[in-house]
Amino acid sequence: MTQISAEQRIAPAGDHTVDGPVTLMNRFAVRPERDEAFRALWTETSKYFMAQPGFVSLRLHRAVSADAEYRWVNVANWESEADFRAAHGTDEFRRVVTRPEWAEFPSAPLLFEVVTAVG
């Protein structure tokens, strides 16, 4: 397996900087037989993010279809894009997301801003 770089684990910058809250949605490709290993690694790695300034909340979702390409989605809310970027710019971040075990779980992270909220 090819090692995934820390940069590949960071949502790319957008066309503009968001001043308000942002949400990270990160899809992971995980073979069904590797669900337990992925969830354990995700849980351990998430401890880093939960301790960072500006972290708000975190949820992990699993597709109801076992044949989905990206079966797991991480949804993390941050107080600001600046907080998100700061948490993803540390040496500790680089250490936790480049552990060899992550190589088998490619991801596709994107950062979102809220444009409409109902309820």
Side-chain angles (χ1 to χ4, degrees), residues 53-119:
F55 171 84
V56 176
S57 65
L58 183 61
R59 289 186 175 193
L60 182 63
H61 304 261
R62 183 178 56 203
V64 296
S65 173
D67 64 349
E69 180 180 0
Y70 290 96
R71 297 183 49 253
W72 292 86
V73 177
N74 172 72
V75 179
N77 295 294
W78 292 85
E79 289 180 7
S80 70
E81 183 175 357
D83 290 328
F84 170 84
R85 299 280 173 215
H88 289 75
T90 69
D91 288 341
E92 181 65 6
F93 165 78
R94 296 181 81 70
R95 187 190 68 73
V96 298
V97 302
T98 60
R99 289 175 48 185
E101 302 94 290
W102 276 115
E104 74 172 294
F105 305 120
S107 66
L110 286 174
L111 202 59
F112 294 83
E113 63 182 320
V114 174
V115 294
T116 303
V118 177

